[in-house]
Amino acid sequence: MLDVPLQGVDREPQVPNFDLLPRIKRINKGKLYRPVAGEPDAHPQLTPVLTRPIRWELIAQQYDQMIKYATAIRTRTGSTEAILRRFTRNASHPTYAAILEVGRAQKTIFVARYLRLRDLQGEIEEGLNVMESSNGANSALAYGKGGGIASNRLDEQEMFVLCLRILQSALVYVNTLMLQDILGEPEWADLLTDADRRGLTPLFWSHVRPYGEVNLDMEARLNLTATTVPGARAPINGVGSAAAGRR
């Protein structure tokens, strides 16, 4: 199995064995569940955001059933959709209620950890901002049909994703050359601070023309001084020339 210790998401953590790092919207409106009952004054500073205790007895009663459903999903003997349909048809299903209770406990633990660790907050914001920027570029490049993949064929879906990656890589490459060309000018040397340079990104697309007529001239090149045409590799300590001689 892949070792994925951290993963930024835009929803609440509900997957075991992964340290999901969600950015919970309207976190100031959220509520924390009390760990035990009968201690209303245990955390006086958190009283405004505390609500009822976690129903640990319900989790204990339904523990075996929760493990059974989780194992069925993990071993693929039962589909997630079928299990969710069974639960949603009966909102009072005890196992479903127990799973929701586990989710409330997990959310409470994460929110308390999120509010306590400033470094964690910065890590989550940084990671999700990068992904949102990437998704924004994809929406600009694959603007047709809302960016959705119209085909159900696996080979066509794979081709769509691969072409999208090539387009985004080409966009980043050209943008990088343009940034190098501009920042190479002397007047920019003292104008940008270290914070400004850290904020630079080659992933921008405001200059992209997503539709309309585009005349492609394969004989013309962008007028970028930072652009270099790849040439023959120079030999290193005679290795290159020796290899060429053997060929």
Side-chain angles (χ1 to χ4, degrees):
M1 295 181 63
L2 293 175
D3 183 14
V4 185
L6 301 174
Q7 178 65 46
V9 296
D10 241 340
R11 58 190 65 185
E12 298 173 11
Q14 298 291 339
V15 181
N17 299 329
F18 284 84
D19 190 9
L20 298 182
L21 305 179
R23 179 169 54 192
I24 302 177
K25 298 179 180 179
R26 300 183 64 190
I27 192 171
N28 61 317
K29 302 294 183 180
K31 293 292 184 179
L32 301 179
Y33 289 81
R34 299 178 183 272
V36 294
E39 298 182 1
D41 300 327
H43 308 283
Q45 295 181 343
L46 296 177
T47 300
V49 298
L50 291 177
T51 183
R52 65 169 178 82
I54 295 291
R55 299 165 60 189
W56 299 111
E57 70 284 354
L58 176 62
I59 297 175
Q61 293 170 3
Q62 299 297 321
Y63 183 80
D64 291 340
Q65 290 297 317
M66 289 191 295
I67 293 299
K68 183 184 73 172
Y69 285 117
T71 303
I73 294 173
R74 182 178 62 84
T75 59
R76 299 184 180 181
T77 56
S79 67
T80 306
E81 292 79 6
I83 294 175
L84 287 177
R85 280 197 301 268
R86 176 182 299 182
F87 287 157
T88 53
R89 281 198 302 264
N90 183 10
S92 61
H93 196 291
T95 305
Y96 183 50
I99 293 175
L100 293 178
E101 206 68 16
V102 171
R104 294 184 182 104
Q106 288 182 327
K107 180 180 178 181
T108 298
I109 293 172
F110 175 79
V111 170
R113 176 186 169 202
Y114 177 87
L115 295 176
R116 181 172 58 90
L117 302 176
R118 296 292 295 177
D119 291 341
L120 179 63
Q121 297 175 24
E123 182 179 1
I124 292 174
E125 291 295 326
E126 180 181 355
L128 290 178
N129 286 340
V130 170
M131 290 308 302
E132 288 177 354
S133 178
S134 177
N135 292 336
N138 289 339
S139 63
L141 296 175
Y143 65 91
K145 299 185 183 298
I149 302 178
S151 175
N152 291 327
R153 293 181 51 182
L154 184 60
D155 57 337
E156 293 182 357
Q157 294 176 1
E158 183 178 2
M159 180 63 68
F160 179 91
V161 174
L162 291 176
C163 290
L164 186 58
R165 289 180 178 176
I166 292 175
L167 287 173
Q168 190 179 95
S169 298
L171 174 67
V172 170
Y173 175 67
V174 173
N175 289 348
T176 301
L177 295 179
M178 290 193 297
L179 286 175
Q180 288 178 342
D181 197 37
I182 294 174
L183 298 179
E185 299 176 0
E187 57 267 24
W188 287 95
D190 299 327
L191 184 61
L192 294 180
T193 65
D194 291 340
D196 294 329
R197 295 182 182 277
R198 287 196 301 268
L200 291 175
T201 174
L203 189 57
F204 55 88
W205 56 91
S206 58
H207 58 302
V208 173
R209 185 179 182 181
Y211 48 83
E213 183 179 353
V214 177
N215 297 320
L216 181 62
D217 187 357
M218 299 298 293
E219 300 299 326
R221 300 186 64 86
L222 294 176
N223 186 21
L224 298 173
T225 57
T227 306
T228 57
V229 179
R233 297 179 61 183
I236 301 176
N237 296 331
V239 175
S241 58
R246 285 196 297 271
R247 288 196 298 268

